[in-house]
Amino acid sequence: MKDRWRAIGVLAGALFAVNVVARVIIEFGFDGNDTAADRVSLAMFVVIGLILAAVVFVQGRSRPVGRWGADVGAAVAVALLLTVLVGPLLVGNNPFGGGAGLFFAQIWLYLAAAAAGVAIGYLVLTALGLDHRSQLLKRYAEIKAAKPRRVVRR
């Protein structure tokens, strides 16, 4: 159980670190340039999606959907809260300074990037037949095929 929470914390920390790096790049590299800031934000969301796709691909091979789904969901929730509430404070901004529209837009964009990453990772895993359920069904079919047929005599 302790290792499970550690994995959730590491994933949440990695997702938050991506956001912090993006915020620092925007603040110190492109202060005042909205186009560049939007591009860095888009890159941040792509990286978050790719990280989640990779995690789902790796975790989905050996664990059932319910278990890795709960872990990834918890990590995304923690990272989202840190990103929206703590992230702006690290670069000297107010989390609610841009108004309610910007605050909720950050939440929806983050959730959309996370959902897209999870969906891509799981779809690729399932399409390749490497997910946990497919592997269980494959082993079951192999076991059933290995047993000789039972002859029924009259």
Side-chain angles (χ1 to χ4, degrees):
M1 188 62 138
K2 183 179 176 183
D3 291 335
R4 189 172 179 186
W5 283 109
R6 182 177 297 138
I8 292 170
V10 167
L11 179 57
L15 296 175
F16 180 62
V18 169
N19 180 263
V20 169
V21 168
R23 286 186 188 273
V24 169
I25 289 171
I26 290 170
E27 185 68 26
F28 297 116
F30 302 110
D31 193 24
N33 187 350
D34 290 338
T35 304
D38 290 343
R39 288 182 182 155
V40 172
S41 294
L42 178 63
M44 175 197 69
F45 287 126
V46 168
V47 170
I48 287 171
L50 289 174
I51 289 172
L52 288 171
V55 167
V56 167
F57 189 85
V58 170
Q59 293 293 318
R61 293 183 75 159
S62 60
R63 297 170 61 199
V65 175
R67 178 169 282 179
W68 66 254
D71 291 353
V72 169
V76 167
V78 170
L80 174 64
L81 288 174
L82 288 172
T83 296
V84 173
L85 298 175
V86 177
L89 296 174
L90 295 176
V91 292
N93 295 332
N94 182 358
F96 306 104
L102 180 62
F103 180 78
F104 288 111
Q106 288 178 13
I107 293 172
W108 292 119
L109 286 171
Y110 197 95
L111 290 176
V118 169
I120 288 170
Y122 188 65
L123 288 174
V124 168
L125 182 69
T126 305
L128 295 175
L130 299 173
D131 61 314
H132 185 260
R133 184 168 186 257
S134 295
Q135 294 298 317
L136 287 177
L137 291 173
K138 180 181 172 185
R139 282 194 291 273
Y140 176 77
E142 289 171 353
I143 290 171
K144 284 297 184 183
K147 289 183 180 178
R149 286 188 57 174
R150 193 172 139 203
V151 178
V152 178
R153 294 187 180 183
R154 291 184 180 185

